[in-house]
Amino acid sequence: MQLPDAAFLTDLMSESLNSPPQGKPRVRFAPSPTGFLHVGSARTFILNWLYARRNGGTMILRLDDTDVERNTDASVNSIFEGLKWLGLSWDEEYKQSERGELHRQMAETIFQKGLAYRDFTPAHAGDSERSGAQGTWLFNPGMRELSRAESDRRAAAGEPFALRFRVPREGGVVRFTDAVYGEQMKAGADIEDFALLRSDGMPMYHLASCADDADLRISHIIRGQDHLSNTYKHVLIFEAAGFTPPQFAHLPLLVAPDGTKLSKRRHGPVVSVTTYRDAGFLPEAFINFLCLLGWSPKNDREQMSRQELIDAFSLEGINRANAVVNFKEATSQPVVIPTLSEEKGRNLLSSPEDTFDPKALWLNAEHIRGLAIEDLSQRLLPIVQGAGFNVLPERMLRITPLIRERIKLLRDVLTAADFFFVDQLPPYDPAELIPQKGDAAMALKVLQRAKEVLANVEFKHDPLDQGLRAAAQELGIKAGQMFQPIRVAVCGRKNAPPLFETLEVLGRETTLARIEQAIQKAG
Ligand code: GLU
């Protein structure tokens, strides 16, 4: 049976279609495991997840792993590793490669309705006949017109064929409403007779995706805007197979500052989720950042917890404009994170400001400030220990409040608090020891007096404060002039956490040893 083209859609509409379930949404993240977990894919997961969690729905992870030549285990691992780091969960999990039978059944249904045809054109010849006689997208017009009897005869004789969708021509129009991009419409004449099955019987992406979405009763397909143009074909497949298409919501593209689509080849590691993990982003901050790429919450707040994101999420807040990830293109080379033994805790990232979007860094710093000290301390400890320092949890707990306001990335702990971890300070310029409006002689005097005071005073904030202020008075200098040489002596630099708290944590022995070293330098 073959339906006349013009009647195609009308006939379909008069059939009773299987509707997706009413009520709780079922959404899916369907990555093809052909690379690492891209930030755009992570955002797609998260926005689906927010939608499911907001509406009491079901989150499904489906690996679109039918492309055996391009799939890798490393890629599957990278997807799971990235999602695990982000602490994102799902309720059901499927592998498309295990569902081939279901895909073929859907192809058979469509074929039996006359809405697909066998194409016996040898694979290599198909491409050259891409455009048909009337300028329509026919791969091989002769095949579309082949009678069913002739088609059956050639198939029975064992001739290989691909199965192509018979796209309605002449007046046929495919429509759908996208929750983000609105009404979409395309003439059937502008859609090629796309393949459902390859000549080796393997299902093609469009078929497999729709068969799974229908079988898994997906209610909303939320995915990247690059799939918007595929959706016409998907609508055709759903309807041909007797299903009402799900709702579609396409997400704006993530682009680099120059407007090009973010890609690993072009933009390097800034595109990969693990780069953010390794650089010391908090998963909750990174999720927060990703959500804001293309979605504007009604409340206009930017820093939000996971629960706040869930509560605020709606598809209406998704924008159409491309979302720009800001970074300096020139420095988007692989981010080198050397081990501490090579770098002694300095210059771990050549410049996070150049590598990462300023908003991502700002959000991360805000989320860090919002963490309880115990929580932050526990997250910092493995980084410090991993860099080769033997720091005990109790000590880390005391250091953490001193640097919490001073770090944007967790790994910044290695530069912000390095002087707590090392036995020997890295070399510093003795000129740093000279106080403001003072000279080398004043620096030396301060350090010598400090050595005496600090040999006796109790190593607690108030006694340290009182003792050193009194010493400044005796020397006839300002308190700040007293503190600076001491700070540089114990930290190796001027820009450091509050002095008395720092001394308390360092303790008398280390403090006196470092002051003695500074005296040698200044003398
Ligand atoms: N496997 C497809 C991709 O990774 C899925 C697209 C879709 O969500 O339908 O692009």
Side-chain angles (χ1 to χ4, degrees):
M1 180 199 73
Q2 283 192 10
L3 290 172
D5 281 340
F8 177 87
L9 287 173
T10 337
D11 278 24
L12 275 179
M13 290 311 165
S14 63
E15 282 185 46
S16 72
L17 300 178
N18 291 317
S19 301
Q22 300 298 305
K24 303 289 184 204
R26 288 175 59 83
V27 295
R28 87 306 194 266
F29 170 59
S32 304
T34 54
F36 58 98
L37 183 62
H38 186 287
V39 291
S41 305
R43 184 197 57 169
T44 300
F45 184 107
I46 292 163
L47 297 188
N48 273 283
W49 178 85
L50 287 179
Y51 192 72
R53 295 295 175 254
R54 173 81 184 95
N55 297 293
T58 303
M59 176 73 204
I60 293 165
L61 175 70
R62 187 183 80 212
L63 286 176
D64 281 2
D65 59 346
T66 48
D67 189 346
V68 280
E69 276 140 43
R70 294 179 61 223
N71 291 335
T72 62
D73 287 346
S75 170
V76 174
N77 292 341
S78 148
I79 292 168
F80 282 109
E81 212 186 301
L83 295 176
K84 186 173 157 219
W85 171 59
L86 293 170
L88 294 167
S89 56
W90 51 96
D91 310 307
E92 296 175 19
E93 187 178 318
Y94 302 92
K95 269 187 167 177
Q96 201 162 55
S97 60
E98 292 168 357
R99 303 165 59 84
E101 242 352 272
L102 182 103
H103 308 151
R104 277 185 280 274
Q105 271 169 25
M106 188 186 247
E108 180 65 18
T109 304
I110 297 173
F111 177 67
Q112 290 308 338
K113 290 184 181 178
L115 303 176
Y117 61 90
R118 298 190 186 102
D119 181 350
F120 296 95
T121 316
H124 62 273
D127 287 343
S128 58
E129 294 179 42
R130 215 172 154 76
S131 188
Q134 299 91 34
T136 52
W137 284 80
L138 295 175
F139 281 78
N140 186 338
M143 290 296 157
R144 183 173 161 122
E145 307 309 331
L146 212 60
S147 73
R148 180 64 191 265
E150 171 72 358
S151 172
D152 287 350
R153 191 191 58 71
R154 288 173 71 168
E159 204 179 323
F161 60 86
L163 193 71
R164 287 195 185 282
F165 195 92
R166 186 186 299 281
V167 177
R169 311 286 167 197
E170 295 162 34
V173 166
V174 186
R175 299 169 197 272
F176 64 94
T177 306
D178 188 84
V180 176
Y181 290 89
E183 294 302 316
Q184 305 291 313
M185 195 164 83
K186 195 169 187 172
D190 293 334
I191 303 171
E192 81 272 20
D193 279 0
F194 56 93
L196 298 173
L197 296 175
R198 291 200 322 209
S199 54
D200 60 4
M202 285 299 289
M204 299 291 286
Y205 157 68
H206 300 302
L207 171 73
S209 185
C210 294
D212 281 337
D213 287 334
D215 180 66
L216 299 174
R217 294 173 295 115
I218 300 300
S219 62
H220 295 72
I221 294 184
I222 305 171
R223 63 183 169 193
Q225 191 260 14
D226 44 338
H227 286 289
L228 190 63
S229 60
N230 288 334
T231 307
Y232 300 104
K233 293 175 186 165
H234 298 184
V235 169
L236 286 171
I237 295 176
F238 281 117
E239 294 186 343
F243 293 93
T244 303
Q247 307 263 301
F248 294 97
H250 285 85
L251 307 170
L253 283 187
L254 299 191
V255 295
D258 69 357
T260 55
K261 191 177 162 195
L262 267 196
S263 82
K264 171 109 171 182
R265 192 171 320 151
R266 207 184 142 106
H267 302 111
V270 73
V271 168
S272 170
V273 169
T274 44
T275 303
Y276 293 79
R277 178 196 64 191
D278 297 344
F281 277 86
L282 298 178
E284 52 270 56
F286 187 59
I287 287 178
N288 191 168
F289 170 66
L290 287 180
C291 288
L292 299 180
L293 292 173
W295 171 60
S296 312
K298 271 216 186 85
N299 57 18
D300 265 351
R301 270 186 55 200
E302 296 213 293
Q303 191 205 335
M304 283 190 272
S305 69
R306 213 171 270 234
Q307 192 55 48
E308 286 168 332
L309 289 166
I310 293 173
D311 294 342
F313 189 73
S314 76
L315 294 177
E316 289 77 62
I318 295 173
N319 312 314
R320 293 184 189 178
N322 291 343
V324 182
V325 178
N326 282 302
F327 56 91
K328 292 210 176 116
E329 301 253 8
T331 58
S332 59
Q333 298 304 318
V335 179
V336 180
I337 305 180
T339 61
L340 208 84
S341 52
E342 288 165 53
E343 286 285 322
K344 284 275 174 265
R346 293 182 185 278
N347 305 323
L348 285 161
L349 292 169
S350 53
S351 166
E353 272 73 19
D354 286 352
T355 309
F356 299 114
D357 190 306
K359 186 183 273 185
L361 289 169
W362 170 76
L363 279 170
N364 205 51
E366 291 295 308
H367 278 269
I368 284 177
R369 276 177 213 168
L371 287 181
I373 294 296
E374 293 73 20
D375 187 353
L376 178 57
S377 184
Q378 277 166 19
R379 301 197 205 203
L380 294 174
L381 193 61
I383 294 173
V384 173
Q385 290 176 336
F389 294 115
N390 192 9
V391 176
L392 294 174
E394 304 84 74
R395 187 168 160 85
M396 197 63 232
L397 201 55
R398 296 180 71 199
I399 295 169
T400 302
L402 305 186
I403 55 154
R404 184 167 60 162
E405 310 286 321
R406 311 176 67 84
I407 59 176
K408 286 188 181 154
L409 296 167
L410 293 178
R411 286 193 72 89
D412 291 345
V413 63
L414 296 174
T415 45
D418 54 343
F419 53 87
F420 285 115
F421 310 137
V422 292
D423 294 331
Q424 277 298 322
L425 285 182
Y428 58 87
D429 182 356
E432 297 279 293
L433 293 163
I434 298 172
Q436 269 206 334
K437 300 202 179 125
D439 54 15
M442 187 192 281
L444 196 58
K445 232 170 20 180
V446 165
L447 291 167
Q448 276 162 345
R449 185 73 192 108
K451 191 175 143 188
E452 289 160 17
V453 174
L454 294 170
N456 300 304
V457 75
E458 192 190 353
F459 259 63
K460 288 259 167 57
H461 181 282
D462 291 354
L464 284 164
D465 187 346
Q466 286 149 17
L468 292 173
R469 277 181 204 281
Q473 261 189 353
E474 281 167 39
L475 294 176
I477 60 173
K478 295 216 168 83
Q481 291 176 308
M482 181 82 201
F483 300 156
Q484 183 188 317
I486 304 173
R487 178 176 290 118
V488 174
V490 297
C491 302
R493 59 174 177 269
K494 288 181 199 150
N495 180 6
L499 181 61
F500 310 124
E501 289 87 339
T502 300
L503 296 180
E504 261 189 278
V505 176
L506 282 173
R508 194 188 312 274
E509 202 184 321
T510 304
T511 302
L512 288 178
R514 289 185 184 176
I515 290 192
E516 185 55 45
Q517 279 171 358
I519 290 172
Q520 304 306 322
K521 272 180 186 275

